Amino acid sequence: MDFNESAKFFSDNYKSILKENKLGTGSKVLIGKKGDDCRFCGKNKPETDFRTIAHAVPEFLGNKRFILLTECDQCNEYFSNNLEVHLDKYTRPFRLLAKIKGKRKTPSYKSKDKKTRHNSNIKGPDHVISPSDSGFLKFDEENKIVTQTFEIESYIPSAVYKCLVKIALSVIPDSEVENFKDTIEWINTKDHSISYINPLKVYKAFIPGFKPINESFIDVLKKHDLVSTFPAYWLIIGFGNIVYQIVLPSSLNFSIKYRELFFPLPFDFGWPFGSVIRSTEDLTSHELVEGRKIPIESSFDKLEVKEEFIGKSFNELGIKYP
């Protein structure tokens, strides 16, 4: 399906159910009604508390606005420890390079042997230190491209998918929650081997250039025609160079017809830094993924050797590392 077909398909069949979609700037978007039962467990005071500010989208994805008033402290802690930790690891290299600020700072990277480090600096240039034989940095001087190969910390793919689903269920209006009772039960299940839909496929778009998506965004689409077997709901979330798109399982879909349905983006035409790179990834596995390496290319204008920097640590160079 090319851009025009994709644009027509989504335009004809879906509409957004969110009133706001920018995550970074603007007034707070308060979801749910204070005093109502928890959206995820159905409990209320005195069984549980609502003292913690529940960010509907994790802060590490650049969310400063969306707050869910109906997520209790127990559910907030559960999702943080069992789902968000996996999405955090899965997305960290991309957030680092795009300088996506979380709760307090931008992410950083440190290799297992602690010899390679990448310090992301939101107010200035990044600093990278790595042994020449580590394989972390590769320079293509002819094409002016540097490749950094990040090793992702251990994560569970199905937990990544469940976290994206949880994010969607945190931002939708109260009127839509009724269609996700079984979905909520699924994301609340600690056993990540229990499936709800199969496969758990994420559609990914990588946009070249430095932080083309200047402000993180989110959208949830719902189809007009609830009879067809196309997915009833889609989540689309983007930050930095990345856009993720997933099917949201709901009671409105007894069977789902899967196709390569990539959501059209404004970068698909005339983007000066290159074509959008699209791919799909199966996140169905509940097995721990260890040692996965992701190469990410960046361009540079000039490569200059500074002899006085060679062999020195960040501390010796006067560079603070978090």
Side-chain angles (χ1 to χ4, degrees):
M1 185 178 288
D2 63 20
F3 176 87
N4 291 328
E5 290 177 311
S6 178
K8 186 176 188 309
F9 175 83
F10 280 101
S11 176
D12 289 349
N13 294 285
Y14 290 90
K15 65 176 180 179
S16 173
I17 58 173
L18 302 186
K19 293 181 179 180
E20 302 268 357
N21 62 13
K22 297 293 186 183
L23 296 174
T25 58
S27 58
K28 298 293 184 185
V29 178
L30 303 180
I31 304 159
K33 184 180 178 182
K34 191 173 183 179
D36 282 358
D37 294 343
C38 175
R39 180 174 286 198
F40 299 105
C41 69
K43 295 179 181 179
N44 211 324
K45 295 180 179 180
E47 288 184 274
T48 188
D49 288 310
F50 295 82
R51 297 175 182 174
T52 303
I53 297 176
H55 289 83
V57 181
E59 287 183 278
F60 62 71
L61 292 180
N63 176 37
K64 305 300 179 186
R65 302 183 65 203
F66 284 62
I67 305 296
L68 179 58
L69 300 177
T70 51
E71 179 178 323
C72 73
D73 294 351
Q74 292 176 1
C75 286
N76 184 271
E77 182 177 6
Y78 167 78
F79 292 129
S80 177
N81 295 334
N82 292 278
L83 299 184
E84 289 183 11
V85 64
H86 296 282
L87 183 63
D88 176 20
K89 295 173 183 177
Y90 182 79
T91 59
R92 191 174 301 164
F94 300 104
R95 293 185 287 113
L96 181 155
L97 293 176
K99 302 177 186 285
I100 304 296
K101 187 178 180 180
K103 186 185 293 288
R104 298 182 183 87
K105 58 187 179 182
T106 54
S108 57
Y109 173 79
K110 180 166 59 177
S111 61
K112 284 185 177 180
D113 61 10
K114 300 181 180 180
K115 293 181 179 179
T116 294
R117 295 184 173 186
H118 185 140
N119 181 11
S120 179
N121 183 359
I122 199 168
K123 295 182 179 180
D126 288 5
H127 296 101
V128 182
I129 189 167
S130 183
S132 58
D133 60 354
S134 69
F136 177 72
L137 289 170
K138 290 185 178 179
F139 293 94
D140 179 347
E141 294 188 54
E142 181 179 351
N143 296 302
K144 294 186 175 181
I145 292 175
V146 57
T147 302
Q148 297 180 76
T149 301
F150 295 92
E151 183 170 344
I152 300 180
E153 292 184 54
S154 303
Y155 70 95
I156 298 175
S158 58
V160 172
Y161 196 100
K162 288 166 77 173
C163 188
L164 291 171
V165 172
K166 188 272 173 183
I167 289 171
L169 300 190
S170 296
V171 300
I172 60 175
D174 287 337
S175 57
E176 300 288 341
V177 176
E178 181 72 18
N179 297 324
F180 293 96
K181 286 185 176 180
D182 292 338
T183 311
I184 289 173
E185 183 178 347
W186 175 57
I187 64 172
N188 270 314
T189 304
K190 287 186 178 181
D191 185 352
H192 297 311
S193 68
I194 297 175
S195 61
Y196 185 22
I197 61 170
N198 196 348
L200 301 178
K201 184 184 292 186
V202 60
Y203 298 76
K204 300 187 291 185
F206 181 86
I207 304 109
F210 174 69
K211 201 176 182 179
I213 302 172
N214 190 49
E215 184 175 359
S216 302
F217 74 89
I218 188 169
D219 209 349
V220 177
L221 308 180
K222 183 179 181 181
K223 68 178 179 180
H224 304 301
D225 171 20
L226 299 180
V227 179
S228 71
T229 56
F230 293 120
Y233 296 91
W234 290 94
L235 166 71
I236 300 167
I237 186 167
F239 59 90
N241 299 80
I242 293 288
V243 176
Y244 294 132
Q245 174 188 334
I246 65 164
V247 170
L248 297 178
S250 74
S251 61
L252 299 183
N253 274 122
F254 295 101
S255 63
I256 298 175
K257 185 178 180 181
Y258 278 95
R259 294 174 62 188
E260 294 295 318
L261 298 169
F262 286 102
F263 189 74
L265 299 171
F267 308 97
D268 283 311
F269 283 107
W271 185 239
F273 300 102
S275 300
V276 176
I277 302 168
R278 286 185 163 86
S279 61
T280 61
E281 183 177 352
D282 191 337
L283 297 177
T284 308
S285 174
H286 63 276
E287 301 291 339
L288 192 69
V289 175
E290 299 182 271
R292 181 185 178 187
K293 294 184 178 181
I294 293 184
I296 303 177
E297 293 182 350
S298 304
S299 61
F300 62 87
D301 293 323
K302 182 180 179 182
L303 183 64
E304 185 177 352
V305 176
K306 296 283 189 179
E307 297 288 346
E308 62 271 26
F309 290 175
I310 297 176
K312 292 186 178 179
S313 66
F314 276 167
N315 286 336
E316 291 172 316
L317 294 172
I319 299 171
K320 291 184 179 180
Y321 188 84

